[in-house]
Amino acid sequence: MEPEQMHMFEAVFNQVAFPITIIKPNAPRFTIIAMNEQRKKASPTPADQLIGKDTFDAFKSWDKNSEEQLELLRKGLMAVIKEKRQVKLPLLYFEFPVKDAPPIRGWAQTEITPIFDKAGKVEYLLSMARDVTERELNRLALAESREKELAMSEELAAMNEELESMNEELKTSNDELQTVNEELACTNEELAVTNEHLSLSNSLLEQSRESLQDLNAELEDRILTRTKALADSETRFRTMFETISHMAWTVNNNAEATFFNKRWHDYTGFSFDQSKGHGWKEALHPDDLDATTNKFRDVQTGLKEGGGIENRFKSIDGEYRWHLTRIVPVKNDAGEIEMWIGTATEINQLKELQQQKDDFISIASHELKTPITSLKGSLQLLERLINEPASPLIPKLIKQSSRSMYKISALVEDLLNLSRISQNRLKLNKSAFNLKSALVAYSNEMRLADQFKVIIQGDENIQVFADEHQINQVLVNFVNNAVKYAPLSKEILVSVEKTGNMAKVTVTDKGPGIPANQLDHLFERYYRVEASDFQASGLGLGLYISAEIIKQHEGQIGVNSELGKGSSFWFTIPVNP
Ligand code: ADP
């Protein structure tokens, strides 16, 4: 082509009123070869960044939304090459990214035309894109307003229908109103007649209302006085309840508890809500529940006159303690029972003492029975031998009898002393005597089995001022215990010494000894050491009586003991000044 012609074509190319791009058909690259002026103007990207680039590289920076559009373009380009004809692409929507500003959006109507070489092969692709953004925007706006219009006309139609049905209803109501009106006219007449009747009844009613009002006022007065009296008596009871040291509560005629004093709450740890009604029963020992409820029911239904019942209530620390529980009725002036008062008095200590006493009596009778039976046996044998005074059995039987008798009298002595002590009647009959000589004399009187030997040693010159018989009693208790509890210790050592102005007597055995934790209790009433191996007979009284005797002498009593080695029981009494 002549250069002049070239120039002319170029001028024409650039003068065409719509954007043209010339693309090489080198799929899949589709290199951009040229762009006319219109095309360059239409793109915010400078032409030198587009010409010579492959189509899809050049538009790579487009946003994700354009992927679809690029795909349409690709398909179009491919179709032109394949089918060798002009292809009109569907409307392409595009967004050009713009730095620091919103992207430019628009629609383009693109047509791609193949340019053939002489051999009929596609040499170039001519893409002509018309910007139809304005047209599209108008179309979209139109579509939107059509939609709105449609919605509005639908709403109008609905409203119309509603109005119509309301109209119908109005018409029906109108008809009904007319009928009612007619009916009313009839009723009106009837009403006039009824009115007359009514005014008559009204005056009658007025009369009865007045008399009722009088009656009511009278009743109210009575109830008020009664309630006040009740409240007064209840307040009085409650105040009184708080001052007593027993647990107390009130019960209504339905057997429901209605009030508890502070002592109850302190003892059981139950709140009022926990205790009210029948809740208090939770504090009762399960074994006492039936007996208690039966008893209360019998008292409340008048089956029984009253009286108390012994039962156990659980204290806040979980221990059940014995109580004497009673309920008594509170009657009004007319003699009717208004409520009940329950009280529970703690008798735990009493119960324990009672138990101890019962145990003690049973042990004591058993202890007495053994020597009495033996004495009885010996005496029967002796009776049979009455005509044989030379029988060799006689001395043996006499010895046996006197040992039994000795045991009985020792037991009886203990019992007598116990009762004297508990009645504060243990009287001392004091005199001055030589302690060691007295001890020697008593030990000779003791009826010990032959294998035991009492050795008395120490100061011979100690004079004491004491009740000789009672001191003898203490020595007897110590020595008897050594025999009973240390049976393998044949020698029992009794030592006498003077410490300051006191004389001290110690009885030592080589027996099993006593556990340290029990030593403190030995001198308590009824106390006996718990032994796992053997338990000698005894009342748990000897040491208690000894301690009381020594206390009266203003002396001291005690024990030293080591397990496996033996025990030393001792006492001190004042020397004669
Ligand atoms: P009891 O009548 O039971 O002998 P006591 O008051 O004389 O009562 O003694 C109390 C307890 O002390 C006894 O049950 C016994 O366990 C213990 N006891 C007393 N003397 C001795 C001793 N010499 N050796 C070991 N235990 C002793």
Side-chain angles (χ1 to χ4, degrees):
M1 198 190 290
E2 297 289 311
E4 215 169 301
Q5 269 179 311
M6 270 283 277
H7 180 72
M8 185 193 72
F9 277 119
E10 205 178 297
V12 171
F13 179 56
N14 280 328
Q15 284 306 308
V16 176
F18 37 82
I20 300 175
T21 309
I22 299 176
I23 299 165
K24 225 177 175 174
N26 57 341
R29 293 174 57 195
F30 296 107
T31 312
I32 298 168
I33 299 172
M35 284 175 161
N36 72 349
E37 283 305 316
Q38 278 298 323
R39 175 66 183 87
K40 284 178 192 166
K41 257 193 255 161
S43 166
T45 320
D48 56 357
Q49 281 180 29
L50 297 171
I51 296 167
K53 295 270 163 57
D54 296 342
T55 299
F56 297 99
D57 279 350
F59 301 123
K60 210 174 243 170
S61 58
W62 286 21
D63 76 357
K64 192 171 142 254
N65 192 31
S66 305
E67 282 291 326
E68 266 170 54
Q69 313 295 314
L70 290 177
E71 191 52 34
L72 288 174
L73 179 60
R74 179 180 289 115
K75 275 189 186 155
L77 290 166
M78 293 303 287
V80 177
I81 298 173
K82 241 186 181 169
E83 294 161 25
K84 294 189 176 178
R85 61 170 181 89
Q86 190 188 53
V87 169
K88 189 175 176 183
L89 297 190
L91 206 60
L92 291 186
Y93 170 73
F94 57 83
E95 283 180 8
F96 289 117
V98 178
K99 198 162 175 265
D100 300 331
I104 298 172
R105 301 158 197 276
W107 282 266
Q109 184 65 67
T110 311
E111 271 173 19
I112 303 166
T113 315
I115 311 281
F116 303 101
D117 62 6
K118 285 190 183 124
K121 205 177 133 210
V122 178
E123 195 171 18
Y124 302 111
L125 298 168
L126 203 73
S127 158
M128 286 183 287
R130 243 173 342 112
D131 184 355
V132 291
T133 306
E134 211 167 314
R135 189 194 77 194
E136 271 309 296
L137 285 175
N138 284 338
R139 196 180 56 77
L140 283 179
L142 200 69
E144 201 182 336
S145 75
R146 283 233 178 92
E147 233 165 78
K148 273 190 194 155
E149 207 175 297
L150 202 72
M152 269 169 75
S153 65
E154 268 170 28
E155 218 170 293
L156 262 176
M159 274 165 75
N160 242 353
E161 248 171 62
E162 223 169 288
L163 266 175
E164 220 163 298
S165 73
M166 271 166 75
N167 238 354
E168 284 280 304
E169 274 169 39
L170 263 177
K171 225 174 31 204
T172 325
S173 313
N174 228 359
D175 290 347
E176 276 170 26
L177 259 179
Q178 211 159 338
T179 327
V180 174
N181 243 350
E182 275 163 30
E183 277 172 12
L184 264 178
C186 293
T187 319
N188 241 353
E189 270 169 40
E190 279 167 34
L191 262 178
V193 184
T194 318
N195 228 357
E196 262 168 49
H197 287 299
L198 261 180
S199 76
L200 201 70
S201 324
N202 228 3
S203 63
L204 283 176
L205 253 180
E206 187 60 25
Q207 279 170 17
S208 27
R209 205 180 56 85
E210 267 167 34
S211 50
L212 250 180
Q213 224 163 18
D214 290 348
L215 212 73
N216 226 4
E218 199 189 312
L219 255 177
E220 260 170 27
D221 258 6
R222 266 162 66 183
I223 288 174
L224 214 71
T225 328
R226 238 10 242 100
T227 318
K228 198 178 163 315
L230 254 179
D232 280 355
S233 69
E234 202 150 333
T235 318
R236 243 197 347 262
F237 276 132
R238 290 186 182 187
T239 323
M240 205 170 71
F241 278 6
E242 295 305 358
T243 60
I244 60 174
S245 61
H246 313 266
M247 298 200 281
W249 58 92
T250 56
V251 178
N252 65 18
N253 280 328
N254 295 328
E256 294 155 341
T258 50
F259 166 80
F260 291 84
N261 71 348
K262 188 170 173 301
R263 170 83 186 127
W264 164 272
H265 295 299
D266 289 349
Y267 176 81
T268 59
F270 279 25
S271 66
F272 175 68
D273 278 346
Q274 274 173 294
S275 321
K276 70 179 180 198
H278 296 274
W280 61 274
K281 290 181 185 168
E282 285 295 315
L284 259 185
H285 192 288
D287 292 350
D288 301 336
L289 184 63
D290 283 349
T292 305
T293 21
N294 290 345
K295 170 85 184 182
F296 285 0
R297 192 198 49 225
D298 290 351
V299 173
Q300 281 202 286
T301 52
L303 217 67
K304 286 214 178 104
E305 263 286 281
I309 180 166
E310 289 181 1
N311 50 16
R312 284 156 289 180
F313 281 103
K314 194 177 187 173
S315 71
I316 191 165
D317 42 34
E319 191 195 341
Y320 283 102
R321 301 168 78 85
W322 282 99
H323 285 77
L324 176 68
T325 309
R326 342 165 36 105
I327 54 166
V328 290
V330 179
K331 293 181 183 170
N332 61 18
D333 296 342
E336 299 153 342
I337 295 176
E338 258 169 19
M339 61 169 172
W340 297 78
I341 292 177
T343 55
T345 312
E346 193 176 317
I347 51 163
N348 210 48
Q349 220 179 357
L350 202 74
K351 277 291 244 197
E352 272 171 12
L353 280 176
Q354 236 169 30
Q355 187 60 43
Q356 271 181 357
K357 207 170 212 161
D358 289 349
D359 291 349
F360 173 72
I361 288 170
S362 123
I363 294 172
S365 9
H366 186 81
E367 288 288 312
L368 276 169
K369 200 163 175 208
T370 319
I372 287 174
T373 313
S374 152
L375 180 63
K376 221 157 97 186
S378 305
L379 286 175
Q380 272 169 0
L381 283 175
L382 278 172
E383 254 170 30
R384 269 189 236 153
L385 294 175
I386 204 156
N387 296 323
E388 295 175 48
S391 165
L393 269 179
I394 287 180
K396 215 177 139 205
L397 285 172
I398 290 176
K399 206 169 175 187
Q400 197 172 303
S401 309
S402 77
R403 207 178 302 136
S404 298
M405 200 55 227
Y406 174 78
K407 263 192 192 162
I408 294 168
S409 66
L411 279 168
V412 170
E413 185 77 14
D414 274 354
L415 290 175
L416 278 174
N417 274 332
L418 176 69
S419 98
R420 279 188 205 122
I421 291 168
S422 53
Q423 290 169 26
N424 243 340
R425 283 197 297 112
L426 186 73
K427 293 278 169 315
L428 298 185
N429 197 357
K430 286 187 183 174
S431 62
F433 60 93
N434 179 288
L435 184 60
K436 189 176 174 194
S437 325
L439 295 180
V440 172
Y442 311 145
S443 68
N444 288 337
E445 278 173 29
M446 286 181 213
R447 302 286 191 275
L448 297 183
D450 291 340
Q451 72 264 35
F452 293 103
K453 206 166 147 204
V454 178
I455 302 167
I456 301 182
Q457 55 186 16
D459 199 331
E460 294 181 354
N461 301 316
I462 306 172
Q463 290 285 323
V464 289
F465 186 69
D467 184 320
E468 205 175 332
H469 177 70
Q470 304 287 10
I471 296 300
N472 172 27
Q473 183 74 31
V474 178
L475 181 79
V476 168
N477 278 334
F478 282 7
V479 173
N480 275 343
N481 277 349
V483 170
K484 268 201 295 189
Y485 301 110
L488 301 178
S489 160
K490 307 294 175 218
E491 286 186 350
I492 299 158
L493 193 69
V494 180
S495 70
V496 186
E497 61 192 309
K498 197 172 149 194
T499 54
N501 48 5
M502 300 298 271
K504 183 175 184 183
V505 178
T506 311
V507 178
T508 304
D509 64 61
K510 295 205 163 44
I514 301 159
N517 62 348
Q518 311 222 19
L519 292 178
D520 281 350
H521 303 289
L522 289 184
F523 299 94
E524 288 169 10
R525 185 157 55 161
Y526 308 129
Y527 190 83
R528 311 202 65 217
V529 175
E530 280 166 27
S532 54
D533 40 4
F534 93 110
Q535 183 80 53
S537 63
L539 299 175
L541 277 184
L543 291 180
Y544 166 70
I545 291 170
S546 304
E548 287 296 318
I549 291 172
I550 297 302
K551 201 159 82 186
Q552 294 241 1
H553 279 88
E554 284 160 3
Q556 287 189 320
I557 195 165
V559 59
N560 305 322
S561 184
E562 208 176 320
L563 277 180
K565 294 211 168 145
S567 312
S568 291
F569 283 84
W570 56 264
F571 67 85
T572 61
I573 45 172
V575 295
N576 195 17

